[in-house]
Amino acid sequence: MTTRPASLTASEIACLERIDQIAMLAQVEHWASINSGSGNLAGLAETAALLTDAFSVLPGEVRLVDGAPVEAVRADGSIDTVERGKHLVVSVRPGANLRLLLTGHMDTVFPADHPFQRLTWLEPGVLNGPGVADMKGGIAVMLAALKAVEASPLGATIGYDVLINSDEEVGSASSAPLIAGLAAGKVAALTYEPALPDGTLAGERGGSGNFSIIVTGRSAHAGRNPHEGRNALVAAADLAVRLKALTRDGLSVNPAKIDGGSANNVVPDHAILRINFRPQSLEMQAFADAALRQLADEIAAAHEVGVHVHGSFGRPPKPIDPGAEKLFGLVKRCGADLGLDISWRGTGGVCDGNNIAACGVPVVDTMGVRGGAIHSADEFLIAESLAERARLSALTILRLAEKRGL
């Protein structure tokens, strides 16, 4: 470990030297060998059991929690409930004056039938595999940091909750109420999404809203009486074009798919428009939401169809406010004391850090491993970053405890 003895106390050095790179890598290899795609309930259950056992070394209550019900709009326009996996929650010293939140996710974007299932060493020190960076490596970093902190004299003064959810990759709709509840009263939060290969962190993030807009028309024969029909597919296409025209600085609009249609000789009576909004600010989110409702009403009137908007802005924009600036500054100073040059930049991606920040809690959400090519079969983890990032987290938590907050 590269350190600056004048900057680290003897107690901090002793704490950080407990972090075991080899043990962390073995955990990642084991966890990543199990498919835990967001829809693979059996794989998620197996992963949750392993994580429950791993986190049981911490001095707190470890439990698996059912998530909130999640609705989904099917291609035929029906709405039903989607089952998600259980979420892991660890509560340590809930009565402590200093309370922190640490979050991660056990799910990946790779379903059980995806061809990317194996781990491969691309070169010495670079591991390729599903979820090695996003974020089973991050979970190993979190756990190693907390174990090291617990061995410090300051450990007994720190209270924290850990949440490892099972649905982050599909928007965290099932775990969102849990995130909000656990964020309440916390001084700061750390989330373990991967950093970039060079260690750069994500700073401000835009938001994200996903909607399924159900259009109900009237069926008719395309040759005998087309004038009596009301074409839901055309109405959905018209709405897609009008919504796309809302794109501007600070707002990206992506009509992604239209489900519906019928035989060529039938006027289609239903369609579902799937669309994603990416607002960069809360003001732009409010604008997009109001414009969506207005355009839905206009389309309903113009095409004489029914229009039902289903969905929400599940990830609010995450600016860097004064509290977040302080937390980023602390992480940067801790990095410097470890010989790391920590920087950050804005990103269009979203994660649970958006939801935590919306609760008014300062959060740095890329405290995980250095890696890249996430969400693809080229995903990789830089193995040496496991211990490196665990030391960064542990030191950040210790300094928060020493200062009793930000």
Side-chain angles (χ1 to χ4, degrees), residues 99-130:
R99 297 278 290 149
L100 305 174
L101 175 63
L102 297 91
T103 71
H105 63 87
M106 68 183 81
D107 63 323
T108 73
V109 299
F110 307 104
D113 59 354
H114 195 283
F116 185 42
Q117 303 287 348
R118 299 176 62 85
L119 279 68
T120 306
W121 287 100
L122 300 178
E123 59 183 80
V126 180
L127 180 63
N128 164 247

mmCIF file of all heavy atoms in Angstrom, residues 99-130:
data_model
loop_
_atom_site.group_PDB
_atom_site.id
_atom_site.type_symbol
_atom_site.label_atom_id
_atom_site.label_comp_id
_atom_site.label_asym_id
_atom_site.label_seq_id
_atom_site.Cartn_x
_atom_site.Cartn_y
_atom_site.Cartn_z
ATOM 1 N N ARG A 99 -24.556 8.353 11.550
ATOM 2 C CA ARG A 99 -25.215 7.288 10.792
ATOM 3 C C ARG A 99 -24.928 7.461 9.312
ATOM 4 O O ARG A 99 -25.100 8.547 8.744
ATOM 5 C CB ARG A 99 -26.727 7.325 11.029
ATOM 6 C CG ARG A 99 -27.146 7.062 12.464
ATOM 7 C CD ARG A 99 -27.189 5.583 12.777
ATOM 8 N NE ARG A 99 -28.299 4.957 12.062
ATOM 9 C CZ ARG A 99 -28.312 3.701 11.618
ATOM 10 N NH1 ARG A 99 -27.265 2.936 11.766
ATOM 11 N NH2 ARG A 99 -29.359 3.218 11.005
ATOM 12 N N LEU A 100 -24.480 6.383 8.667
ATOM 13 C CA LEU A 100 -24.141 6.392 7.249
ATOM 14 C C LEU A 100 -24.993 5.366 6.507
ATOM 15 O O LEU A 100 -25.516 4.425 7.103
ATOM 16 C CB LEU A 100 -22.657 6.058 7.048
ATOM 17 C CG LEU A 100 -21.640 6.914 7.804
ATOM 18 C CD1 LEU A 100 -20.236 6.361 7.601
ATOM 19 C CD2 LEU A 100 -21.723 8.365 7.357
ATOM 20 N N LEU A 101 -25.094 5.541 5.196
ATOM 21 C CA LEU A 101 -25.776 4.581 4.326
ATOM 22 C C LEU A 101 -24.796 4.126 3.256
ATOM 23 O O LEU A 101 -24.128 4.952 2.624
ATOM 24 C CB LEU A 101 -26.999 5.218 3.663
ATOM 25 C CG LEU A 101 -27.739 4.362 2.623
ATOM 26 C CD1 LEU A 101 -28.317 3.103 3.259
ATOM 27 C CD2 LEU A 101 -28.852 5.176 1.949
ATOM 28 N N LEU A 102 -24.689 2.818 3.069
ATOM 29 C CA LEU A 102 -23.872 2.245 2.001
ATOM 30 C C LEU A 102 -24.765 1.359 1.152
ATOM 31 O O LEU A 102 -25.508 0.519 1.693
ATOM 32 C CB LEU A 102 -22.707 1.430 2.563
ATOM 33 C CG LEU A 102 -21.681 2.223 3.388
ATOM 34 C CD1 LEU A 102 -22.055 2.210 4.864
ATOM 35 C CD2 LEU A 102 -20.279 1.651 3.206
ATOM 36 N N THR A 103 -24.716 1.536 -0.159
ATOM 37 C CA THR A 103 -25.616 0.769 -1.022
ATOM 38 C C THR A 103 -24.876 0.129 -2.197
ATOM 39 O O THR A 103 -23.844 0.613 -2.654
ATOM 40 C CB THR A 103 -26.758 1.647 -1.588
ATOM 41 O OG1 THR A 103 -26.245 2.556 -2.567
ATOM 42 C CG2 THR A 103 -27.461 2.419 -0.484
ATOM 43 N N GLY A 104 -25.454 -0.960 -2.645
ATOM 44 C CA GLY A 104 -24.971 -1.668 -3.827
ATOM 45 C C GLY A 104 -26.107 -2.491 -4.397
ATOM 46 O O GLY A 104 -27.232 -2.466 -3.890
ATOM 47 N N HIS A 105 -25.831 -3.230 -5.450
ATOM 48 C CA HIS A 105 -26.869 -4.093 -6.035
ATOM 49 C C HIS A 105 -26.281 -5.428 -6.431
ATOM 50 O O HIS A 105 -25.140 -5.514 -6.886
ATOM 51 C CB HIS A 105 -27.561 -3.412 -7.221
ATOM 52 C CG HIS A 105 -26.671 -3.099 -8.386
ATOM 53 N ND1 HIS A 105 -26.413 -4.000 -9.399
ATOM 54 C CD2 HIS A 105 -26.001 -1.976 -8.722
ATOM 55 C CE1 HIS A 105 -25.618 -3.442 -10.305
ATOM 56 N NE2 HIS A 105 -25.348 -2.211 -9.918
ATOM 57 N N MET A 106 -27.090 -6.468 -6.237
ATOM 58 C CA MET A 106 -26.653 -7.819 -6.564
ATOM 59 C C MET A 106 -27.054 -8.240 -7.969
ATOM 60 O O MET A 106 -26.557 -9.256 -8.473
ATOM 61 C CB MET A 106 -27.211 -8.813 -5.542
ATOM 62 C CG MET A 106 -28.716 -9.002 -5.586
ATOM 63 S SD MET A 106 -29.335 -10.137 -4.305
ATOM 64 C CE MET A 106 -29.409 -9.064 -2.879
ATOM 65 N N ASP A 107 -27.960 -7.498 -8.612
ATOM 66 C CA ASP A 107 -28.410 -7.912 -9.944
ATOM 67 C C ASP A 107 -27.467 -7.406 -11.027
ATOM 68 O O ASP A 107 -26.738 -6.434 -10.849
ATOM 69 C CB ASP A 107 -29.842 -7.447 -10.211
ATOM 70 C CG ASP A 107 -29.994 -5.938 -10.221
ATOM 71 O OD1 ASP A 107 -29.322 -5.260 -9.419
ATOM 72 O OD2 ASP A 107 -30.796 -5.418 -11.033
ATOM 73 N N THR A 108 -27.486 -8.101 -12.153
ATOM 74 C CA THR A 108 -26.739 -7.701 -13.343
ATOM 75 C C THR A 108 -27.711 -7.563 -14.514
ATOM 76 O O THR A 108 -28.901 -7.898 -14.407
ATOM 77 C CB THR A 108 -25.659 -8.732 -13.723
ATOM 78 O OG1 THR A 108 -26.289 -9.895 -14.286
ATOM 79 C CG2 THR A 108 -24.837 -9.138 -12.510
ATOM 80 N N VAL A 109 -27.188 -7.089 -15.631
ATOM 81 C CA VAL A 109 -28.028 -6.930 -16.826
ATOM 82 C C VAL A 109 -28.071 -8.201 -17.675
ATOM 83 O O VAL A 109 -28.736 -8.221 -18.715
ATOM 84 C CB VAL A 109 -27.525 -5.767 -17.707
ATOM 85 C CG1 VAL A 109 -27.567 -4.465 -16.945
ATOM 86 C CG2 VAL A 109 -26.121 -6.045 -18.237
ATOM 87 N N PHE A 110 -27.385 -9.248 -17.237
ATOM 88 C CA PHE A 110 -27.263 -10.455 -18.061
ATOM 89 C C PHE A 110 -28.250 -11.527 -17.597
ATOM 90 O O PHE A 110 -28.086 -12.097 -16.514
ATOM 91 C CB PHE A 110 -25.833 -10.992 -17.993
ATOM 92 C CG PHE A 110 -24.796 -9.955 -18.337
ATOM 93 C CD1 PHE A 110 -24.038 -9.358 -17.346
ATOM 94 C CD2 PHE A 110 -24.604 -9.569 -19.652
ATOM 95 C CE1 PHE A 110 -23.094 -8.398 -17.647
ATOM 96 C CE2 PHE A 110 -23.661 -8.599 -19.969
ATOM 97 C CZ PHE A 110 -22.906 -8.001 -18.970
ATOM 98 N N PRO A 111 -29.291 -11.843 -18.384
ATOM 99 C CA PRO A 111 -30.268 -12.862 -17.968
ATOM 100 C C PRO A 111 -29.663 -14.259 -17.973
ATOM 101 O O PRO A 111 -28.544 -14.480 -18.452
ATOM 102 C CB PRO A 111 -31.376 -12.720 -19.022
ATOM 103 C CG PRO A 111 -30.709 -12.114 -20.211
ATOM 104 C CD PRO A 111 -29.627 -11.227 -19.681
ATOM 105 N N ALA A 112 -30.419 -15.194 -17.446
ATOM 106 C CA ALA A 112 -29.921 -16.561 -17.287
ATOM 107 C C ALA A 112 -29.553 -17.205 -18.616
ATOM 108 O O ALA A 112 -28.692 -18.086 -18.662
ATOM 109 C CB ALA A 112 -30.956 -17.399 -16.552
ATOM 110 N N ASP A 113 -30.198 -16.781 -19.710
ATOM 111 C CA ASP A 113 -29.912 -17.395 -21.009
ATOM 112 C C ASP A 113 -28.927 -16.573 -21.840
ATOM 113 O O ASP A 113 -28.715 -16.851 -23.022
ATOM 114 C CB ASP A 113 -31.208 -17.602 -21.795
ATOM 115 C CG ASP A 113 -31.967 -16.295 -22.039
ATOM 116 O OD1 ASP A 113 -31.548 -15.245 -21.497
ATOM 117 O OD2 ASP A 113 -32.986 -16.320 -22.765
ATOM 118 N N HIS A 114 -28.305 -15.577 -21.244
ATOM 119 C CA HIS A 114 -27.334 -14.763 -21.973
ATOM 120 C C HIS A 114 -26.047 -15.569 -22.177
ATOM 121 O O HIS A 114 -25.620 -16.311 -21.283
ATOM 122 C CB HIS A 114 -27.041 -13.480 -21.187
ATOM 123 C CG HIS A 114 -26.341 -12.423 -21.980
ATOM 124 N ND1 HIS A 114 -24.996 -12.472 -22.266
ATOM 125 C CD2 HIS A 114 -26.811 -11.287 -22.570
ATOM 126 C CE1 HIS A 114 -24.653 -11.403 -22.977
ATOM 127 N NE2 HIS A 114 -25.730 -10.681 -23.181
ATOM 128 N N PRO A 115 -25.396 -15.448 -23.333
ATOM 129 C CA PRO A 115 -24.176 -16.238 -23.564
ATOM 130 C C PRO A 115 -22.992 -15.831 -22.694
ATOM 131 O O PRO A 115 -22.042 -16.599 -22.536
ATOM 132 C CB PRO A 115 -23.865 -15.995 -25.052
ATOM 133 C CG PRO A 115 -24.578 -14.730 -25.395
ATOM 134 C CD PRO A 115 -25.811 -14.714 -24.547
ATOM 135 N N PHE A 116 -23.019 -14.628 -22.115
ATOM 136 C CA PHE A 116 -21.903 -14.149 -21.298
ATOM 137 C C PHE A 116 -22.083 -14.630 -19.869
ATOM 138 O O PHE A 116 -22.790 -14.034 -19.075
ATOM 139 C CB PHE A 116 -21.860 -12.618 -21.359
ATOM 140 C CG PHE A 116 -20.694 -11.981 -20.650
ATOM 141 C CD1 PHE A 116 -19.412 -12.504 -20.740
ATOM 142 C CD2 PHE A 116 -20.882 -10.831 -19.902
ATOM 143 C CE1 PHE A 116 -18.337 -11.912 -20.090
ATOM 144 C CE2 PHE A 116 -19.825 -10.213 -19.248
ATOM 145 C CZ PHE A 116 -18.554 -10.755 -19.347
ATOM 146 N N GLN A 117 -21.433 -15.749 -19.536
ATOM 147 C CA GLN A 117 -21.598 -16.355 -18.214
ATOM 148 C C GLN A 117 -20.275 -16.730 -17.558
ATOM 149 O O GLN A 117 -20.251 -17.047 -16.373
ATOM 150 C CB GLN A 117 -22.455 -17.630 -18.322
ATOM 151 C CG GLN A 117 -23.818 -17.446 -18.940
ATOM 152 C CD GLN A 117 -24.819 -16.736 -18.039
ATOM 153 O OE1 GLN A 117 -24.580 -16.551 -16.848
ATOM 154 N NE2 GLN A 117 -25.932 -16.307 -18.601
ATOM 155 N N ARG A 118 -19.169 -16.657 -18.266
ATOM 156 C CA ARG A 118 -17.904 -17.187 -17.768
ATOM 157 C C ARG A 118 -16.931 -16.060 -17.419
ATOM 158 O O ARG A 118 -16.998 -14.962 -17.984
ATOM 159 C CB ARG A 118 -17.262 -18.124 -18.795
ATOM 160 C CG ARG A 118 -18.122 -19.346 -19.129
ATOM 161 C CD ARG A 118 -17.467 -20.178 -20.219
ATOM 162 N NE ARG A 118 -16.163 -20.699 -19.815
ATOM 163 C CZ ARG A 118 -15.991 -21.822 -19.127
ATOM 164 N NH1 ARG A 118 -17.056 -22.553 -18.777
ATOM 165 N NH2 ARG A 118 -14.800 -22.231 -18.796
ATOM 166 N N LEU A 119 -15.996 -16.362 -16.519
ATOM 167 C CA LEU A 119 -14.943 -15.433 -16.151
ATOM 168 C C LEU A 119 -13.665 -15.786 -16.904
ATOM 169 O O LEU A 119 -13.321 -16.971 -17.042
ATOM 170 C CB LEU A 119 -14.681 -15.479 -14.644
ATOM 171 C CG LEU A 119 -15.630 -14.680 -13.749
ATOM 172 C CD1 LEU A 119 -17.029 -15.278 -13.751
ATOM 173 C CD2 LEU A 119 -15.094 -14.610 -12.328
ATOM 174 N N THR A 120 -12.966 -14.766 -17.378
ATOM 175 C CA THR A 120 -11.747 -14.961 -18.163
ATOM 176 C C THR A 120 -10.734 -13.885 -17.779
ATOM 177 O O THR A 120 -11.092 -12.708 -17.655
ATOM 178 C CB THR A 120 -12.029 -14.846 -19.676
ATOM 179 O OG1 THR A 120 -13.078 -15.753 -20.035
ATOM 180 C CG2 THR A 120 -10.788 -15.159 -20.482
ATOM 181 N N TRP A 121 -9.485 -14.288 -17.616
ATOM 182 C CA TRP A 121 -8.425 -13.305 -17.399
ATOM 183 C C TRP A 121 -7.966 -12.802 -18.763
ATOM 184 O O TRP A 121 -7.410 -13.554 -19.552
ATOM 185 C CB TRP A 121 -7.257 -13.913 -16.627
ATOM 186 C CG TRP A 121 -7.588 -14.124 -15.177
ATOM 187 C CD1 TRP A 121 -7.965 -15.281 -14.577
ATOM 188 C CD2 TRP A 121 -7.583 -13.124 -14.160
ATOM 189 N NE1 TRP A 121 -8.212 -15.085 -13.237
ATOM 190 C CE2 TRP A 121 -7.978 -13.764 -12.946
ATOM 191 C CE3 TRP A 121 -7.284 -11.761 -14.131
ATOM 192 C CZ2 TRP A 121 -8.071 -13.066 -11.741
ATOM 193 C CZ3 TRP A 121 -7.383 -11.076 -12.933
ATOM 194 C CH2 TRP A 121 -7.768 -11.723 -11.757
ATOM 195 N N LEU A 122 -8.254 -11.538 -19.062
ATOM 196 C CA LEU A 122 -7.872 -10.958 -20.351
ATOM 197 C C LEU A 122 -6.366 -10.765 -20.438
ATOM 198 O O LEU A 122 -5.763 -10.891 -21.509
ATOM 199 C CB LEU A 122 -8.579 -9.619 -20.553
ATOM 200 C CG LEU A 122 -10.107 -9.664 -20.543
ATOM 201 C CD1 LEU A 122 -10.669 -8.260 -20.713
ATOM 202 C CD2 LEU A 122 -10.630 -10.588 -21.645
ATOM 203 N N GLU A 123 -5.791 -10.430 -19.313
ATOM 204 C CA GLU A 123 -4.341 -10.268 -19.153
ATOM 205 C C GLU A 123 -4.095 -10.284 -17.659
ATOM 206 O O GLU A 123 -5.047 -10.217 -16.862
ATOM 207 C CB GLU A 123 -3.856 -8.950 -19.763
ATOM 208 C CG GLU A 123 -4.509 -7.708 -19.171
ATOM 209 C CD GLU A 123 -4.053 -6.445 -19.857
ATOM 210 O OE1 GLU A 123 -4.570 -6.137 -20.946
ATOM 211 O OE2 GLU A 123 -3.173 -5.776 -19.271
ATOM 212 N N PRO A 124 -2.856 -10.400 -17.234
ATOM 213 C CA PRO A 124 -2.612 -10.407 -15.784
ATOM 214 C C PRO A 124 -3.209 -9.164 -15.111
ATOM 215 O O PRO A 124 -2.924 -8.036 -15.503
ATOM 216 C CB PRO A 124 -1.081 -10.419 -15.689
ATOM 217 C CG PRO A 124 -0.636 -11.094 -16.944
ATOM 218 C CD PRO A 124 -1.615 -10.642 -17.997
ATOM 219 N N GLY A 125 -4.088 -9.410 -14.134
ATOM 220 C CA GLY A 125 -4.672 -8.316 -13.378
ATOM 221 C C GLY A 125 -5.952 -7.747 -13.943
ATOM 222 O O GLY A 125 -6.537 -6.847 -13.334
ATOM 223 N N VAL A 126 -6.431 -8.255 -15.082
ATOM 224 C CA VAL A 126 -7.663 -7.738 -15.687
ATOM 225 C C VAL A 126 -8.632 -8.899 -15.893
ATOM 226 O O VAL A 126 -8.405 -9.768 -16.741
ATOM 227 C CB VAL A 126 -7.400 -7.021 -17.025
ATOM 228 C CG1 VAL A 126 -8.712 -6.492 -17.611
ATOM 229 C CG2 VAL A 126 -6.409 -5.882 -16.837
ATOM 230 N N LEU A 127 -9.709 -8.902 -15.109
ATOM 231 C CA LEU A 127 -10.671 -9.998 -15.114
ATOM 232 C C LEU A 127 -11.929 -9.599 -15.874
ATOM 233 O O LEU A 127 -12.546 -8.573 -15.584
ATOM 234 C CB LEU A 127 -11.042 -10.377 -13.677
ATOM 235 C CG LEU A 127 -12.050 -11.513 -13.495
ATOM 236 C CD1 LEU A 127 -11.490 -12.825 -14.045
ATOM 237 C CD2 LEU A 127 -12.424 -11.664 -12.016
ATOM 238 N N ASN A 128 -12.306 -10.421 -16.824
ATOM 239 C CA ASN A 128 -13.526 -10.244 -17.612
ATOM 240 C C ASN A 128 -14.583 -11.206 -17.094
ATOM 241 O O ASN A 128 -14.320 -12.387 -16.884
ATOM 242 C CB ASN A 128 -13.216 -10.521 -19.092
ATOM 243 C CG ASN A 128 -14.445 -10.751 -19.955
ATOM 244 O OD1 ASN A 128 -14.659 -11.842 -20.451
ATOM 245 N ND2 ASN A 128 -15.251 -9.728 -20.141
ATOM 246 N N GLY A 129 -15.808 -10.677 -16.888
ATOM 247 C CA GLY A 129 -16.884 -11.551 -16.444
ATOM 248 C C GLY A 129 -18.141 -10.754 -16.148
ATOM 249 O O GLY A 129 -18.082 -9.526 -15.948
ATOM 250 N N PRO A 130 -19.303 -11.429 -16.123
ATOM 251 C CA PRO A 130 -20.572 -10.727 -15.896
ATOM 252 C C PRO A 130 -20.689 -10.199 -14.472
ATOM 253 O O PRO A 130 -20.674 -10.967 -13.511
ATOM 254 C CB PRO A 130 -21.621 -11.813 -16.180
ATOM 255 C CG PRO A 130 -20.902 -13.109 -15.948
ATOM 256 C CD PRO A 130 -19.485 -12.873 -16.332
#
